[in-house]
């Protein structure tokens, strides 16, 4: 299958991620933040994501990934949405963010446009992304979790800060856990958030080293490996070729990702290591047999993720457009 950079039909890459240290501004967040200033906020977001997800089924996975990428660098402040200009190369244009899906950016922009008509200058892009992510996850079968609101949009987005802060498919469990731990997340929470790979896809370049040559991974399910080799045979000339993260139920948020790991059906090397490493294996086995436990832990971890590094009035703004700072010279 071939996919454009703004993913079409079937699949979507997810990198497990998390964000910088929790700021003092977490206390300002509350679920009813817009009850008086923008009473139709929930309705507008819900209707927009329903329409978009119906039109483009990869939107849920793409938006979930975009939310992760936003939060683990500079906190949940919509910095990943900023477009590069002549003054600044923004986060979204770093090579590691190259495959962030266009549909995820689009749904945020659609919602922002609708909200600016209803309650101009009130709702931050950071809150839109957080709320849309929750609504989309539940739409594809995932657990409901509260989204506390009141974030402000960040005032900085630098591409050079991305590398070294984004967990990568070839990293060890120890290295990836280090990124989570320094931001207050436990090993169990890391594994739960990794379960987001139950939806979406990854490009062949992210796992091709497991398929070919002397370093091919013998622990991949043989039939799975054969199919992936055929799928990815031209990936060096077409870097948009991709495969489902969860080959069994790619469009449904469930615990199949963990079941797949036990069968040698983990797509990324970092996925497979979760069942190999003695520190993470017990959590994989728990979630593979108990979907309720996975959903509870995932929901809790997502609530926590959404409060990481949030900006208050002194550190941020409410952007008029999600892809530009209000001061265009920044």
């Amino acid at each position: 299958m071939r996919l454009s950079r703004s993913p079409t039909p079937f699949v979507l890459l997810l990198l497990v991620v998390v964000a910088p240290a929790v700021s003092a501004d977490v206390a300002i967040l509350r679920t009813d933040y817009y009850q008086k200033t923008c009473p139709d906020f929930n309705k507008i977001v819900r209707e927009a994501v329903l329409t978009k997800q119906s039109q483009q089924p990869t939107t849920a996975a793409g938006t979930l990934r975009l939310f992760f990428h936003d939060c683990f660098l500079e906190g949940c402040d919509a910095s990943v949405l900023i477009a590069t200009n002549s003054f600044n190369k923004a986060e979204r244009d770093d090579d590691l963010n190259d495959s962030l899906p266009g549909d995820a950016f689009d749904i945020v922009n659609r919602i922002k446009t609708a909200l600016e008509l209803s309650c101009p200058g009130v709702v931050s892009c950071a809150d839109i992304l957080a709320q849309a992510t929750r609504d989309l996850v539940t739409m594809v079968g995932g657990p409901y979790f509260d989204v506390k609101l009141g974030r402000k949009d960040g005032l900085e987005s630098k591409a050079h800060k991305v590398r070294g802060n984004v967990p990568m498919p070839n990293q060890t469990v120890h290295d990836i856990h280090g990124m989570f731990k320094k931001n207050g997340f436990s090993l169990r929470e890391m594994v739960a958030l990794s379960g987001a790979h139950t939806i979406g896809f990854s490009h062949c370049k992210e796992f091709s080293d497991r398929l070919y040559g002397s370093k091919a991974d013998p622990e991949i399910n043989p039939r799975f490996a054969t199919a992936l080799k055929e799928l990815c045979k031209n990936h060096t000339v077409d870097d948009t070729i991709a495969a489902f993260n969860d080959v069994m139920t790619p469009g449904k948020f469930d615990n199949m990702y963990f079941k797949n790991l036990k069968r040698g059906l983990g797509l990324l090397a970092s996925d497979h290591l979760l069942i190999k490493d003695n520190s993470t294996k017990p959590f994989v086995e728990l979630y593979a047999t108990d979907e309720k436990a996975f959903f509870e832990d995932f929901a809790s971890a997502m609530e926590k993720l959404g409060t990481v590094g949030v900006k208050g009035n002194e550190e941020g703004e409410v952007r008029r457009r999600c892809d530009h700072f209000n001061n265009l010279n920044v």
Side-chain angles (χ1 to χ4, degrees):
M1 109 190 71
R2 287 184 170 45
L3 300 171
S4 66
R5 289 201 184 278
S6 178
T8 49
F10 305 103
V11 284
L12 190 10
L13 169 66
L14 168 85
L15 294 176
V16 296
V17 298
V18 77
V22 177
S23 83
D25 284 335
V26 168
I28 69 170
L29 302 182
R30 61 181 192 271
T31 57
D32 64 348
Y33 188 85
Y34 297 113
Q35 185 174 13
K36 293 182 179 179
T37 56
C38 192
D40 289 333
F41 169 75
N42 291 328
K43 178 176 180 287
I44 289 171
V45 174
R46 186 167 55 249
E47 290 179 352
V49 299
L50 177 61
T51 299
K52 179 65 176 178
Q53 179 66 18
S54 300
Q55 294 171 341
Q56 181 49 265
T58 63
T59 301
T63 306
L64 177 55
R65 184 180 173 225
L66 187 66
F67 181 60
F68 282 142
H69 275 240
D70 183 44
C71 292
F72 68 69
L73 181 60
E74 308 295 345
C76 306
D77 65 353
S79 57
V80 74
L81 303 178
I82 291 294
T84 292
N85 60 28
S86 57
F87 302 98
N88 177 60
K89 183 178 180 181
E91 291 173 24
R92 65 191 284 180
D93 286 319
D94 182 81
D95 289 345
L96 294 182
N97 283 337
D98 185 53
S99 60
L100 288 176
D103 287 312
F105 291 97
D106 179 63
I107 184 55
V108 175
N109 289 333
R110 288 191 188 192
I111 295 169
K112 180 63 171 176
T113 299
L115 287 170
E116 285 300 297
L117 294 173
S118 178
C119 42
V122 172
V123 181
S124 69
C125 301
D127 278 347
I128 291 170
L129 179 56
Q131 184 88 355
T133 298
R134 191 277 310 280
D135 287 359
L136 284 160
V137 166
T138 59
M139 280 183 63
V140 294
Y144 179 90
F145 50 92
D146 286 333
V147 177
K148 293 181 180 180
L149 303 164
R151 302 165 189 79
K152 295 300 183 286
D153 298 322
L155 302 176
E156 179 181 89
S157 179
K158 303 290 185 182
H160 71 83
K161 291 188 175 184
V162 175
R163 194 164 295 272
N165 290 292
V166 180
M168 300 178 67
N170 59 356
Q171 288 182 300
T172 65
V173 168
H174 179 268
D175 288 341
I176 295 175
H177 180 225
M179 295 184 188
F180 281 80
K181 186 176 180 180
K182 71 180 181 180
N183 294 299
F185 287 80
S186 69
L187 194 64
R188 179 169 181 152
E189 289 170 325
M190 183 192 81
V191 178
L193 289 173
S194 299
H197 282 192
T198 189
I199 53 177
F201 68 78
S202 296
H203 292 90
C204 292
K205 64 182 179 181
E206 303 292 339
F207 57 85
S208 60
D209 57 344
R210 302 186 70 205
L211 303 177
Y212 307 107
S214 60
K215 294 184 179 181
D217 190 344
E219 296 184 359
I220 302 179
N221 180 289
R223 292 179 62 187
F224 188 43
T226 298
L228 290 174
K229 287 178 182 179
E230 177 62 24
L231 171 69
C232 295
K233 62 184 178 182
N234 294 321
H235 80 279
T236 56
V237 295
D238 183 355
D239 63 4
T240 66
I241 303 173
F244 292 118
N245 287 325
D246 171 3
V247 70
M248 305 302 290
T249 57
K252 181 182 179 183
F253 198 101
D254 55 21
N255 67 336
M256 186 61 70
Y257 165 77
F258 297 105
K259 294 179 180 180
N260 288 341
L261 295 184
K262 300 178 68 174
R263 302 167 182 164
L265 298 175
L267 186 62
L268 304 177
S270 54
D271 292 329
H272 183 62
L273 287 177
L274 293 180
I275 191 65
K276 292 273 291 178
D277 192 287
N278 288 333
S279 66
T280 51
K281 184 177 180 180
F283 303 123
V284 172
E285 293 180 333
L286 169 65
Y287 296 150
T289 57
D290 189 344
E291 186 174 75
K292 183 174 182 290
F294 165 49
F295 275 24
E296 289 176 350
D297 285 358
F298 181 83
S300 177
M302 286 295 291
E303 288 183 12
K304 184 175 181 178
L305 177 62
T307 66
V308 173
V310 298
K311 308 296 190 295
N313 289 322
E314 295 183 0
E315 301 172 294
E317 63 183 5
V318 174
R319 290 185 207 136
R320 291 185 290 269
R321 285 180 51 179
C322 289
D323 59 349
H324 289 89
F325 300 117
N326 290 343
N327 179 358
L328 295 181
N329 291 325
V330 175

